[in-house]
Amino acid sequence: AFAQTFIHRPITTYAELLTCPGIGPYTAAAIASIAFNEPVMTIDGNVIRVLARLLNHSEVFTSQATARTWVQPYLQRYFDKTHPGVFNEALMECGATICTKTHPVCPQCPLRVDCQAFQLHTQSTCPQFLKAKELQKYKHRLWHLNADALLLAPSTIATRTSVTLLELPELSPDQRTQLPELQPIFTGKRRIGNTTYTETLYSLPPSAVLPTKLIHQWNAQWLPIKALNQYPLSGPHKRWIQAILTSLS
């Protein structure tokens, strides 16, 4: 989908990248800074860890969001606006290969002279995150093919991306009672944050009629199977759809 968009409309800025299906703030910042030299900062877990150790941040972060908020003003202080891509790549690479979550290779780190955690020997406890309670959620989805088209709807699960992703329609308890002929055909699991979702996919027999009002309730649309790659599907649903199609072929 991104390639098709890029062919028809050149995309060269962070703001433009955010409008592309499947591209969130982190990916947009990485592309904009590395490919187009736009001075935007990339903030991921690696960057947060490097800055937290550099400054020996001892307070416990309650979430990744609070950690990103905390790191922004400090990162801005060091940020190289002249070479933003090089700066972002160097910091991300440092966190990924040297300042790792466990067993950091401090003797090889170019920042060790200024790193407070290294000097105070607190690398193993910095940064700290509040351990969120593990949650289990269960969802029920409809798999419905009409000729060579599949019914898809906007995702009901919040994600970091600014683009609305498409997924198989979610069945509420009331909707499931309206479709007594549903048969389970597939079960998949995915994890978002501290929540594990177990999603069961159901199909209807060929003779069953799907009420139009349900399609409207889901704000769903029929999309051609052969063109699904052109649409912003969520990663798990894209894999599950492909697995089912393969099993049906």
Side-chain angles (χ1 to χ4, degrees):
F2 174 73
Q4 290 293 328
T5 303
F6 191 84
I7 289 172
H8 294 96
R9 176 172 59 90
I11 297 168
T12 59
T13 69
Y14 174 76
E16 290 171 341
L17 285 160
L18 283 177
T19 67
C20 297
I23 293 185
Y26 168 75
T27 304
I31 295 173
S33 63
I34 296 170
F36 305 114
N37 207 45
E38 184 176 351
V40 286
M41 301 179 296
T42 57
I43 301 177
D44 66 354
N46 291 322
V47 172
I48 290 170
R49 185 167 57 255
V50 171
L51 265 292
R53 285 175 175 167
L54 189 65
L55 302 170
N56 193 40
H57 183 76
S58 59
E59 295 181 17
V60 178
F61 292 121
T62 57
S63 66
Q64 283 287 337
T66 59
R68 286 193 296 273
T69 300
W70 170 84
V71 83
Q72 284 179 351
Y74 295 104
L75 190 59
Q76 189 69 55
R77 183 187 306 173
Y78 299 110
F79 189 59
D80 184 351
K81 294 183 179 180
T82 305
H83 306 96
V86 174
F87 179 90
N88 286 334
E89 280 193 284
L91 206 54
M92 290 187 291
E93 187 71 10
C94 179
T97 62
I98 297 177
C99 192
T100 53
K101 187 174 181 179
T102 58
H103 310 298
V105 193
C106 297
Q108 297 179 19
C109 183
L111 301 175
R112 67 184 182 280
V113 175
D114 299 309
C115 181
Q116 296 182 34
F118 173 67
Q119 295 169 10
L120 297 171
H121 306 289
T122 58
Q123 306 96 308
S124 62
T125 59
C126 182
Q128 296 184 67
F129 285 87
L130 183 67
K131 290 187 177 180
K133 181 180 178 181
E134 294 293 319
L135 300 176
Q136 297 281 342
K137 291 188 178 181
Y138 300 87
K139 290 188 175 292
H140 304 273
R141 306 275 187 173
L142 177 66
W143 169 273
H144 199 52
L145 277 173
N146 183 359
D148 293 323
L150 182 65
L151 191 65
L152 293 168
S155 174
T156 57
I157 297 179
T159 61
R160 285 192 224 167
T161 179
S162 60
V163 176
T164 300
L165 300 176
L166 298 176
E167 299 187 330
L168 297 168
E170 182 177 352
L171 292 159
S172 68
D174 178 63
Q175 291 168 343
R176 288 166 62 195
T177 61
Q178 296 178 51
L179 301 170
E181 297 171 292
L182 288 171
Q183 294 293 326
I185 61 168
F186 183 91
T187 298
K189 289 190 177 185
R190 62 168 154 177
R191 184 178 177 85
I192 301 177
N194 64 317
T195 304
T196 297
Y197 293 88
T198 300
E199 305 190 20
T200 303
L201 280 50
Y202 299 82
S203 68
L204 288 169
S207 59
V209 177
L210 181 64
T212 304
K213 67 176 182 179
L214 291 184
I215 298 177
H216 292 321
Q217 288 174 7
W218 293 317
N219 192 25
Q221 55 185 315
W222 296 100
L223 298 179
I225 292 294
K226 292 183 178 180
L228 287 181
N229 286 337
Q230 299 178 21
Y231 297 93
L233 276 66
S234 71
H237 277 234
K238 182 181 293 186
R239 293 191 296 272
W240 300 343
I241 289 170
Q242 187 57 54
I244 295 173
L245 290 174
T246 300
S247 69
L248 295 175
S249 61

